Amino acid sequence: MIRVAVTGCLGNMGSKIIKSVESQENMEVVLGIEMPNSPLAGKDLGEQIGLGTMNVPIIGSEDLKDKLLEIKPDVLVDFTIAKAAVETVKTCAECGVNVVVGTTGLTDEQLDIMHSSIKENDIKAVISPNMATGVNVFFEIVGQVAKILGHEYDVEIVEAHHHNKQDAPSGTAKRAAEIVAENLDLDLKEKGCYGREGMVGKRPENEIGIHAVRGGDIVGDHTVMFCGDGERIEVIHRASTRQAFVNGVIRAINYQNDKQDKNIADMFDVLGL
Protein backbone atom coordinates (compact mmCIF):
# COMPACT_ATOMS: atom_id res chain seq x y z
CA MET A 1 0.00 0.00 0.00
CA ILE A 2 1.37 3.41 -1.02
CA ARG A 3 0.97 5.88 1.84
CA VAL A 4 0.18 9.37 0.56
CA ALA A 5 0.23 12.83 2.16
CA VAL A 6 -1.45 15.78 0.42
CA THR A 7 -0.84 19.50 0.89
CA GLY A 8 -3.65 21.97 0.33
CA CYS A 9 -5.85 19.06 1.34
CA LEU A 10 -9.09 21.06 1.56
CA GLY A 11 -8.67 22.94 -1.71
CA ASN A 12 -10.20 22.06 -5.09
CA MET A 13 -7.20 20.06 -6.28
CA GLY A 14 -6.20 18.65 -2.91
CA SER A 15 -9.63 17.22 -2.10
CA LYS A 16 -9.98 15.72 -5.59
CA ILE A 17 -6.55 14.09 -5.29
CA ILE A 18 -7.49 12.63 -1.91
CA LYS A 19 -10.76 11.19 -3.22
CA SER A 20 -8.98 9.60 -6.20
CA VAL A 21 -6.18 8.19 -4.05
CA GLU A 22 -8.72 6.67 -1.69
CA SER A 23 -10.45 4.99 -4.64
CA GLN A 24 -7.25 3.16 -5.64
CA GLU A 25 -6.70 -0.38 -4.41
CA ASN A 26 -2.97 0.20 -3.81
CA MET A 27 -3.01 3.62 -2.14
CA GLU A 28 -4.22 5.32 1.02
CA VAL A 29 -4.10 8.88 2.33
CA VAL A 30 -2.37 9.11 5.70
CA LEU A 31 -1.96 12.87 6.20
CA GLY A 32 -3.57 16.13 5.07
CA ILE A 33 -1.70 19.44 5.30
CA GLU A 34 -3.22 22.91 5.32
CA MET A 35 -1.89 26.44 5.76
CA PRO A 36 0.05 27.38 8.92
CA ASN A 37 -2.07 27.54 12.06
CA SER A 38 -5.16 26.34 10.21
CA PRO A 39 -8.32 26.47 12.36
CA LEU A 40 -9.12 23.00 11.02
CA ALA A 41 -5.92 21.44 12.32
CA GLY A 42 -6.77 18.37 14.37
CA LYS A 43 -10.01 17.70 12.49
CA ASP A 44 -10.60 14.47 10.61
CA LEU A 45 -9.74 14.89 6.93
CA GLY A 46 -12.51 12.67 5.58
CA GLU A 47 -15.21 14.49 7.53
CA GLN A 48 -14.08 17.82 6.04
CA ILE A 49 -14.19 16.70 2.39
CA GLY A 50 -17.30 14.52 2.49
CA LEU A 51 -15.75 11.07 2.71
CA GLY A 52 -16.84 10.32 6.24
CA THR A 53 -14.48 9.49 9.08
CA MET A 54 -11.03 8.46 7.77
CA ASN A 55 -9.04 8.71 11.01
CA VAL A 56 -6.58 10.85 9.06
CA PRO A 57 -5.50 14.12 10.70
CA ILE A 58 -5.36 17.57 9.19
CA ILE A 59 -2.29 19.52 10.31
CA GLY A 60 -1.00 23.04 9.82
CA SER A 61 2.16 23.18 7.74
CA GLU A 62 4.17 24.39 10.75
CA ASP A 63 3.97 20.81 12.06
CA LEU A 64 4.90 19.15 8.76
CA LYS A 65 8.37 17.92 9.68
CA ASP A 66 7.31 16.33 12.95
CA LYS A 67 4.32 14.60 11.35
CA LEU A 68 6.30 13.30 8.37
CA LEU A 69 8.79 11.72 10.74
CA GLU A 70 5.97 10.28 12.86
CA ILE A 71 3.63 9.00 10.12
CA LYS A 72 6.26 8.23 7.45
CA PRO A 73 4.26 8.57 4.20
CA ASP A 74 5.82 7.17 1.04
CA VAL A 75 5.03 10.26 -1.02
CA LEU A 76 3.69 13.77 -0.57
CA VAL A 77 1.65 15.43 -3.33
CA ASP A 78 1.90 19.22 -3.58
CA PHE A 79 -0.51 21.45 -5.56
CA THR A 80 -0.24 24.73 -3.65
CA ILE A 81 1.70 27.94 -4.39
CA ALA A 82 5.32 28.27 -5.41
CA LYS A 83 6.77 29.70 -2.19
CA ALA A 84 5.06 27.10 -0.02
CA ALA A 85 5.97 24.25 -2.39
CA VAL A 86 9.69 25.02 -2.13
CA GLU A 87 9.62 24.81 1.66
CA THR A 88 7.49 21.66 1.57
CA VAL A 89 9.88 19.90 -0.81
CA LYS A 90 12.88 20.87 1.33
CA THR A 91 11.15 19.46 4.42
CA CYS A 92 10.16 16.26 2.62
CA ALA A 93 13.72 15.79 1.37
CA GLU A 94 15.10 16.16 4.89
CA CYS A 95 12.59 13.56 6.11
CA GLY A 96 13.23 11.11 3.27
CA VAL A 97 9.73 11.44 1.78
CA ASN A 98 9.33 11.33 -2.02
CA VAL A 99 7.31 14.08 -3.73
CA VAL A 100 4.96 14.65 -6.66
CA VAL A 101 4.76 18.37 -7.45
CA GLY A 102 2.22 19.94 -9.78
CA THR A 103 2.45 23.46 -8.36
CA THR A 104 2.94 26.12 -11.04
CA GLY A 105 4.57 29.55 -11.06
CA LEU A 106 7.93 28.24 -9.86
CA THR A 107 10.90 30.40 -10.84
CA ASP A 108 14.18 28.92 -12.08
CA GLU A 109 15.74 29.81 -8.73
CA GLN A 110 12.98 28.02 -6.81
CA LEU A 111 13.31 24.96 -9.03
CA ASP A 112 17.08 24.94 -8.45
CA ILE A 113 16.52 24.97 -4.67
CA MET A 114 14.06 22.09 -4.93
CA HIS A 115 16.31 20.07 -7.23
CA SER A 116 19.29 20.55 -4.91
CA SER A 117 17.35 19.36 -1.86
CA ILE A 118 16.01 16.34 -3.74
CA LYS A 119 19.43 15.27 -4.98
CA GLU A 120 21.29 15.97 -1.74
CA ASN A 121 18.83 13.84 0.24
CA ASP A 122 18.44 11.18 -2.47
CA ILE A 123 14.66 11.17 -2.60
CA LYS A 124 12.56 10.71 -5.74
CA ALA A 125 10.41 13.41 -7.32
CA VAL A 126 8.03 13.85 -10.22
CA ILE A 127 7.78 17.55 -11.03
CA SER A 128 5.62 18.85 -13.88
CA PRO A 129 3.88 22.16 -14.70
CA ASN A 130 0.90 20.11 -15.86
CA MET A 131 0.07 16.58 -14.77
CA ALA A 132 -2.69 15.93 -17.32
CA THR A 133 -1.89 13.04 -19.65
CA GLY A 134 -3.31 14.87 -22.67
CA VAL A 135 -1.25 17.98 -22.05
CA ASN A 136 1.96 16.01 -22.15
CA VAL A 137 0.92 14.41 -25.43
CA PHE A 138 0.16 18.00 -26.53
CA PHE A 139 3.74 18.96 -25.60
CA GLU A 140 5.10 16.10 -27.69
CA ILE A 141 3.04 17.10 -30.72
CA VAL A 142 4.00 20.78 -30.39
CA GLY A 143 7.67 19.83 -30.45
CA GLN A 144 7.25 17.66 -33.52
CA VAL A 145 5.30 20.34 -35.41
CA ALA A 146 7.86 23.01 -34.56
CA LYS A 147 10.69 20.79 -35.78
CA ILE A 148 8.91 19.94 -39.04
CA LEU A 149 7.82 23.50 -39.88
CA GLY A 150 11.03 25.21 -38.84
CA HIS A 151 11.44 28.98 -38.93
CA GLU A 152 9.01 29.68 -41.78
CA TYR A 153 6.00 29.86 -39.45
CA ASP A 154 5.25 32.44 -36.74
CA VAL A 155 4.46 30.86 -33.36
CA GLU A 156 1.87 32.31 -30.98
CA ILE A 157 0.75 30.66 -27.73
CA VAL A 158 -2.53 31.58 -26.02
CA GLU A 159 -3.64 30.19 -22.67
CA ALA A 160 -6.86 30.78 -20.73
CA HIS A 161 -7.64 30.02 -17.09
CA HIS A 162 -10.15 30.87 -14.35
CA HIS A 163 -10.06 34.24 -12.64
CA ASN A 164 -8.53 32.83 -9.44
CA LYS A 165 -5.30 31.63 -11.05
CA GLN A 166 -2.36 33.42 -9.45
CA ASP A 167 0.44 33.13 -12.01
CA ALA A 168 0.63 34.21 -15.65
CA PRO A 169 1.42 32.93 -18.13
CA SER A 170 0.65 29.40 -17.00
CA GLY A 171 3.41 26.90 -16.42
CA THR A 172 1.97 24.88 -19.29
CA ALA A 173 2.23 27.82 -21.70
CA LYS A 174 5.80 28.47 -20.56
CA ARG A 175 6.71 24.83 -21.11
CA ALA A 176 5.13 24.86 -24.58
CA ALA A 177 7.20 27.95 -25.41
CA GLU A 178 10.35 26.25 -24.14
CA ILE A 179 9.63 23.20 -26.30
CA VAL A 180 9.13 25.37 -29.39
CA ALA A 181 12.35 27.26 -28.67
CA GLU A 182 14.30 24.05 -28.09
CA ASN A 183 13.14 22.56 -31.39
CA LEU A 184 13.93 25.76 -33.30
CA ASP A 185 17.29 26.31 -31.58
CA LEU A 186 16.13 29.64 -30.18
CA ASP A 187 16.79 31.34 -26.84
CA LEU A 188 13.38 31.90 -25.26
CA LYS A 189 14.75 34.67 -23.04
CA GLU A 190 15.61 36.59 -26.19
CA LYS A 191 12.68 35.59 -28.41
CA GLY A 192 9.77 35.33 -25.98
CA CYS A 193 7.17 38.11 -26.19
CA TYR A 194 4.70 38.19 -23.30
CA GLY A 195 1.75 40.17 -24.63
CA ARG A 196 1.79 43.26 -26.84
CA GLU A 197 0.57 46.85 -26.47
CA GLY A 198 0.90 50.03 -28.46
CA MET A 199 2.82 50.63 -31.67
CA VAL A 200 4.98 47.55 -31.47
CA GLY A 201 5.94 47.59 -35.14
CA LYS A 202 6.50 44.64 -37.42
CA ARG A 203 6.69 41.25 -35.75
CA PRO A 204 10.37 40.40 -35.20
CA GLU A 205 11.73 37.30 -36.90
CA ASN A 206 11.51 34.12 -34.77
CA GLU A 207 9.51 35.81 -32.02
CA ILE A 208 7.46 33.45 -29.82
CA GLY A 209 4.31 35.18 -28.57
CA ILE A 210 2.83 34.08 -25.24
CA HIS A 211 -0.50 35.47 -24.06
CA ALA A 212 -2.65 34.91 -20.95
CA VAL A 213 -6.44 35.17 -20.64
CA ARG A 214 -8.18 35.11 -17.25
CA GLY A 215 -11.90 34.77 -16.70
CA GLY A 216 -14.76 32.87 -15.14
CA ASP A 217 -14.24 29.20 -14.32
CA ILE A 218 -12.04 28.16 -17.28
CA VAL A 219 -10.14 25.09 -16.09
CA GLY A 220 -7.33 25.39 -18.64
CA ASP A 221 -7.13 25.99 -22.40
CA HIS A 222 -3.86 26.07 -24.36
CA THR A 223 -3.41 26.79 -28.06
CA VAL A 224 -0.16 26.87 -30.00
CA MET A 225 -0.59 28.51 -33.41
CA PHE A 226 1.90 28.00 -36.23
CA CYS A 227 1.01 30.80 -38.66
CA GLY A 228 2.34 30.66 -42.22
CA ASP A 229 1.52 32.38 -45.48
CA GLY A 230 -1.89 31.09 -46.55
CA GLU A 231 -2.33 28.55 -43.77
CA ARG A 232 -2.31 28.07 -40.01
CA ILE A 233 -1.87 24.98 -37.87
CA GLU A 234 -3.28 25.02 -34.34
CA VAL A 235 -2.46 22.47 -31.65
CA ILE A 236 -5.05 22.72 -28.87
CA HIS A 237 -5.58 21.16 -25.46
CA ARG A 238 -8.61 21.94 -23.31
CA ALA A 239 -9.17 20.64 -19.81
CA SER A 240 -12.86 20.50 -18.94
CA THR A 241 -12.39 19.38 -15.32
CA ARG A 242 -9.52 19.22 -12.86
CA GLN A 243 -9.87 15.44 -12.85
CA ALA A 244 -7.55 15.42 -15.87
CA PHE A 245 -4.73 16.65 -13.61
CA VAL A 246 -5.70 14.28 -10.81
CA ASN A 247 -5.53 11.27 -13.13
CA GLY A 248 -1.97 12.26 -14.00
CA VAL A 249 -1.08 12.48 -10.31
CA ILE A 250 -2.24 8.89 -9.79
CA ARG A 251 -0.06 7.77 -12.71
CA ALA A 252 2.90 9.72 -11.30
CA ILE A 253 2.52 8.10 -7.86
CA ASN A 254 2.43 4.62 -9.39
CA TYR A 255 5.40 5.37 -11.65
CA GLN A 256 7.44 6.62 -8.73
CA ASN A 257 6.59 3.59 -6.61
CA ASP A 258 7.18 1.02 -9.37
CA LYS A 259 10.08 2.05 -11.57
CA GLN A 260 11.42 5.58 -11.24
CA ASP A 261 15.19 5.21 -11.65
CA LYS A 262 16.34 8.81 -11.24
CA ASN A 263 15.92 11.48 -8.60
CA ILE A 264 13.87 13.92 -10.67
CA ALA A 265 11.38 12.85 -13.33
CA ASP A 266 8.61 14.63 -15.21
CA MET A 267 5.40 13.52 -16.88
CA PHE A 268 7.26 12.67 -20.09
CA ASP A 269 9.08 10.02 -18.04
CA VAL A 270 5.84 8.84 -16.46
CA LEU A 271 4.17 8.45 -19.87
CA GLY A 272 7.25 7.10 -21.65
CA LEU A 273 7.33 9.97 -24.15
Side-chain angles (χ1 to χ4, degrees):
M1 191 69 73
I2 306 170
R3 294 162 52 80
V4 182
V6 180
T7 57
C9 61
L10 303 181
N12 283 330
M13 275 301 297
S15 59
K16 282 181 169 59
I17 290 167
I18 290 164
K19 290 173 182 176
S20 286
V21 167
E22 284 291 295
S23 72
Q24 308 300 307
E25 293 183 356
N26 65 331
M27 300 180 191
E28 63 177 345
V29 176
V30 295
L31 181 64
I33 302 99
E34 268 296 316
M35 66 182 69
N37 303 305
S38 170
L40 294 174
K43 301 288 186 180
D44 184 86
L45 176 58
E47 293 175 358
Q48 298 302 312
I49 63 172
L51 287 182
T53 302
M54 290 173 58
N55 295 316
V56 173
I58 297 171
I59 66 165
S61 59
E62 74 278 7
D63 294 326
L64 179 60
K65 185 172 185 178
D66 289 343
K67 285 298 181 180
L68 290 180
L69 291 173
E70 175 188 339
I71 296 175
K72 295 180 174 61
D74 299 302
V75 58
L76 179 143
V77 180
D78 188 284
F79 273 76
T80 55
I81 59 174
K83 184 177 179 181
V86 173
E87 294 306 312
T88 296
V89 169
K90 287 168 60 179
T91 301
C92 286
E94 292 169 3
C95 296
V97 176
N98 299 324
V99 293
V100 170
V101 180
T103 297
T104 64
L106 293 160
T107 66
D108 289 343
E109 181 180 3
Q110 288 172 324
L111 281 168
D112 287 343
I113 293 170
M114 290 167 62
H115 287 188
S116 294
S117 293
I118 290 163
K119 291 176 181 177
E120 287 172 7
N121 292 278
D122 197 28
I123 66 166
K124 296 188 290 187
V126 176
I127 302 175
S128 177
N130 195 311
M131 291 280 175
T133 300
V135 157
N136 287 277
V137 175
F138 163 87
F139 286 152
E140 179 75 5
I141 294 168
V142 165
Q144 291 181 17
V145 173
K147 185 178 293 185
I148 292 168
L149 297 180
H151 296 270
E152 301 301 316
Y153 288 67
D154 298 326
V155 182
E156 295 286 316
I157 300 170
V158 182
E159 59 96 341
H161 283 84
H162 53 89
H163 55 215
N164 289 320
K165 186 168 175 59
Q166 300 293 307
D167 56 308
S170 68
T172 301
K174 289 180 180 178
R175 183 60 191 138
E178 291 169 356
I179 289 168
V180 170
E182 289 164 6
N183 281 278
L184 296 178
D185 292 322
L186 299 174
D187 184 342
L188 185 59
K189 291 181 180 179
E190 293 181 2
K191 297 299 184 179
C193 175
Y194 298 86
R196 300 185 182 92
E197 182 182 13
M199 296 293 292
V200 297
K202 181 180 177 180
R203 189 184 196 277
E205 186 177 354
N206 290 324
E207 184 173 80
I208 301 173
I210 308 162
H211 314 279
V213 175
R214 294 290 176 269
D217 62 354
I218 302 170
V219 174
D221 293 356
H222 293 87
T223 302
V224 180
M225 296 185 287
F226 297 87
C227 307
D229 291 335
E231 65 178 357
R232 179 172 76 248
I233 296 173
E234 295 186 358
V235 184
I236 300 171
H237 179 273
R238 295 191 178 101
S240 55
T241 75
R242 290 181 175 83
Q243 190 62 38
F245 313 127
V246 175
N247 294 341
V249 169
I250 298 300
R251 294 183 74 151
I253 293 171
N254 278 317
Y255 167 81
Q256 191 176 80
N257 183 68
D258 293 341
K259 57 188 176 183
Q260 185 175 338
D261 57 2
K262 56 184 178 180
N263 284 114
I264 301 170
D266 58 22
M267 284 303 290
F268 269 35
D269 298 307
V270 173
L271 299 173
L273 297 175

